[in-house]
Amino acid sequence: MSDLTKLTIAQARDALRRGETTSVALTEACLSAIDAADALGAFVHKTPEIALERAAAADQRIKAGDAPDMCGIPVGIKDLFCTEGVASQAASKILEGFRPQYESTVSGQLRDAGAVMLGKLNMDEFAMGSSNETSVYGNAVNPWRAGNSDAALTPGGSSGGSAAAVAADLCLAATGTDTGGSIRQPAAFTGTVGLKPTYGRCSRWGIVAFASSLDQAGPMTKTVRDAAIMGAAMMGHDPKDSTSADLPVPDFEAMLTGDIRGRVIGIPREYRMDGMPAEIEALWARGREMLADAGAVIRDISLPHTKYALPTYYVIAPAEASSNLARYDGVRYGYRAKMAPGDGITEMYEKTRAEGFGAEVRRRVMVGTYVLSAGYYDAYYNRARKVRTLIKRDFEEVFAAGVDAILTPATPSAAFELGKKHADPVEMYLNDVFTVTVNLAGLPGLAVPTGLDAQGLPLGLQLIGKPWEEGELLNIGYALEQAAGFVAKPAKWW
C-alpha cells in the first residue's frame, strides 16, 4: 500500500487484519516521515528500536488472531507521560536525564493493546502554555501555512507536538493531556480531532502532574472514529489513581451511528463574546445548521457563570501547580544547579528551580503560591473554588433540562504566528476562553475540524457532553464531522 502514514487508525486496523500491510511496514513508513520532519519539532525523543520491536510483536499477535483494535498502530506519546526507560522530561530542563523505571497507566494500556510507540512528543513545559513556545526543546511548528505566507504558526498547546505530528501524518494518532483545553485547542488549530474525556475516565498515574483536579489524558486523532477507538483503549479504572472512576468503558466505535435525530443541542449565549472574529461566528452558525439538518433540536441556553471561568481557572490551576511542582528540587532526580563554595541546601533549591524552570512555569508557581498564602487563601483560592462549583452547577442544570450536548467554538481564532502572543501572558491565556469551563466542570469535550478560514487555515467546533457519556458525545461529533466533510490537509513544506 502507498501512503501508509496517511491511513487512519480504522483503515490501518482493517488493512492489517486483511494482510494488506504489516505493522512493521507501517512503523517504518512513520519513522521515515518523522526523520524527514525535524523542522516541525514534533518528536523530541525518537524510539525506533522500541517501535520496530513492538511492531514485530504486533504482527505476530495479528497472525495469531489475538489483536485488539490498537494492535500494530504506530502512535506518538506526549512527553508528559512517563515511559519506562525512555526520557520523560515534561519538556522541562529540571527533568533533564530522567528516565523512569515505570510506565504510565495510559501508555501502558496502549502498549498492552499492541500499539507501537514511535517516540515522545513536544509540548509546553509542564503543560503550561497555549502555543508550544515554553518547551525546553524549542517550538513545535504547525504543518499548516496561512495563504502564501512562510511564517511559522503555532500548533497550539500544550499538546502542540501531538497535534503537529498527527496533522503532518508522522503518526496515525497521539496521546495528549488537557488541563484547560490542551487537547481541544491544538486539535482545532491543526485540523485534527481531540477528545478530552470526563475527569476520571483515564488514569492520571504516571502522567507528570500540572493541576491534579483538572488534568485528563485523551486521544488526538485524524477522525472521530479513531478517537473512539483509541479513547476506549486509553480509558478504564486504575486502582493506583484515587480519582479514577470504576465504570465500564463502552464500545464507543459501535455507538457511531450518525443518527442524532431528536438530540437536543444547547447553544450558550455567553459564548457570543465581544470582538469574536466573523469567521468564528459564521462557523458556529454553520455548525448549528448542520446539526439541525441532521435532525437535532437546537436550543438556546444560558451558562451564566461562564464569564468567571478564566479568572477562576487561572487561580486554581497555578495553585495546584505550585503544590505539584514543589517536588522538583534537584535532590533525587533531574537537573541540579552547580553549587558555589559555602552554598547550603536552601541555595541549592533556589538555584535549581530558578535555572530548571522556564519563565512561564516560574510565573504560574509564583501566582499559585501567592493565592495559597496566608491572608490571600480566602480572597482568591477559596473564592475560586466556590465559583467553580457554580460553573459546574450551570452545566448540571442545563443537562437536567434535557440538553444532550452543547455546541461552542473551540478557539477564538485560527492558528496564530509563533512569537506573536508569547510576550503577553494575558493575551495568551485568552486562547482558553472556550475550553476551560469543561475542565472546571470535569466534563467531556470534543474538538472537530469543521472548516477553513479565509487564509486556508483549519477551524474547529467544540462539543461538550454529559459526564461519562463520551459515546453519545462522539456520535454527535461523528454526525458533525460527516456533515462538515472536512478533508483538507496541509501542503507539505517541511
Side-chain angles (χ1 to χ4, degrees):
M1 296 177 70
S2 60
D3 295 328
L4 290 174
T5 63
K6 291 182 169 58
L7 295 176
T8 66
I9 291 175
Q11 290 169 341
R13 173 195 62 188
D14 296 345
L16 288 167
R17 302 304 180 277
R18 292 192 296 262
E20 296 172 359
T21 189
T22 64
S23 179
V24 168
L26 268 173
T27 301
E28 288 175 340
C30 288
L31 291 172
S32 295
I34 291 165
D35 286 338
D38 286 342
L40 295 178
F43 276 86
V44 292
H45 297 293
K46 302 174 185 178
T47 57
E49 296 85 2
I50 292 173
L52 290 170
E53 179 182 331
R54 292 186 184 176
D59 283 333
Q60 293 302 314
R61 285 182 73 174
I62 291 167
K63 284 182 183 177
D66 172 33
D69 286 338
M70 287 298 295
C71 189
I73 305 298
V75 300
I77 304 294
K78 185 177 179 178
D79 197 39
L80 206 64
F81 293 78
C82 288
T83 44
E84 186 177 1
V86 177
S88 304
Q89 284 187 235
S92 181
K93 181 177 180 179
I94 208 160
L95 279 173
E96 188 175 79
F98 177 54
R99 293 176 180 267
Q101 298 307 302
Y102 55 91
E103 188 84 18
S104 78
T105 296
V106 166
S107 59
Q109 287 175 187
L110 289 170
R111 177 198 61 195
D112 295 344
V116 174
M117 181 177 73
L118 297 165
K120 304 298 286 293
L121 292 160
N122 207 347
M123 54 176 281
D124 281 297
E125 184 182 8
F126 282 104
M128 299 182 195
S130 301
S131 63
N132 215 132
E133 293 177 88
T134 68
S135 170
V136 72
Y137 309 116
N139 301 338
V141 181
N142 197 324
W144 292 81
R145 288 288 184 260
N148 296 319
S149 172
D150 290 330
L153 303 177
T154 176
S158 65
S159 306
S162 300
V166 175
D169 293 323
L170 308 186
C171 54
L172 273 59
T175 63
T177 61
D178 193 310
T179 305
S182 290
I183 286 174
R184 291 159 288 148
Q185 183 245 29
F189 277 179
T190 57
T192 56
V193 173
L195 172 65
K196 181 261 172 199
T198 309
Y199 182 80
R201 264 294 192 195
C202 290
S203 171
R204 292 184 298 109
W205 193 86
I207 301 174
V208 178
F210 166 12
S212 299
S213 75
L214 301 166
D215 298 343
Q216 189 62 190
M220 304 187 72
T221 61
K222 299 177 184 181
T223 67
V224 173
R225 183 175 297 277
D226 285 3
I229 296 168
M230 185 175 180
M234 295 171 67
M235 298 177 196
H237 180 241
D238 179 11
K240 296 193 294 293
D241 175 5
S242 63
T243 63
S244 174
D246 190 3
L247 294 171
V249 179
D251 183 346
F252 296 133
E253 187 183 12
M255 300 172 74
L256 300 181
T257 64
D259 183 0
I260 60 168
R261 288 172 294 180
R263 298 292 188 273
V264 179
I265 308 299
I267 308 297
R269 61 177 63 99
E270 289 79 12
Y271 282 63
R272 292 187 178 91
M273 297 186 173
D274 293 339
M276 181 187 291
E279 287 177 320
I280 300 295
E281 181 65 59
L283 181 81
W284 194 14
R286 193 159 74 251
R288 297 195 292 271
E289 292 169 5
M290 288 188 286
L291 291 175
D293 290 344
V297 177
I298 307 301
R299 180 188 298 175
D300 286 332
I301 62 170
S302 177
L303 299 168
H305 294 94
T306 291
K307 60 185 175 183
Y308 305 117
L310 269 179
T312 299
Y313 175 85
Y314 279 103
V315 169
I316 290 174
E320 295 186 11
S322 73
S323 177
N324 278 324
L325 270 60
R327 72 194 70 176
Y328 305 110
D329 53 18
V331 175
R332 289 174 177 261
Y333 53 85
Y335 176 80
R336 179 185 291 186
K338 291 182 179 178
M339 304 288 284
D343 280 351
I345 189 73
T346 301
E347 287 80 11
M348 190 202 74
Y349 288 159
E350 290 173 349
K351 288 182 179 180
T352 295
R353 291 168 66 80
E355 295 174 17
F357 289 142
E360 181 61 29
V361 172
R362 293 199 302 270
R363 179 184 295 116
R364 297 199 193 193
V365 167
M366 291 175 70
V367 168
T369 303
Y370 177 80
V371 302
L372 290 175
S373 61
Y376 297 101
Y377 181 92
D378 285 332
Y380 292 104
Y381 183 68
N382 223 16
R383 183 173 295 182
R385 288 175 57 241
K386 292 175 182 177
V387 176
R388 179 182 189 173
T389 300
L390 296 175
I391 290 169
K392 187 171 185 287
R393 187 181 302 163
D394 286 348
F395 284 103
E396 290 170 347
E397 290 174 353
V398 163
F399 289 135
V403 170
D404 295 297
I406 297 167
L407 179 72
T408 78
T411 59
S413 70
F416 50 86
E417 289 183 23
L418 287 165
K420 189 172 182 181
K421 299 185 180 184
H422 188 56
D424 185 347
V426 174
E427 187 176 3
M428 188 68 76
Y429 297 164
L430 290 172
N431 277 285
D432 302 330
V433 65
F434 297 128
T435 52
V436 295
T437 53
V438 175
N439 300 81
L440 289 168
L443 299 171
L446 179 70
V448 180
T450 321
L452 299 172
D453 74 357
Q455 295 183 299
L457 295 176
L459 297 170
L461 289 174
Q462 174 180 231
L463 286 161
I464 303 169
K466 297 178 181 179
W468 317 116
E469 294 194 13
E470 288 85 1
E472 175 79 11
L473 178 68
L474 286 161
N475 187 48
I476 296 170
Y478 180 66
L480 179 62
E481 177 185 61
Q482 297 299 106
F486 185 92
V487 294
K489 297 290 289 185
K492 187 172 180 180
W493 55 265
W494 57 93

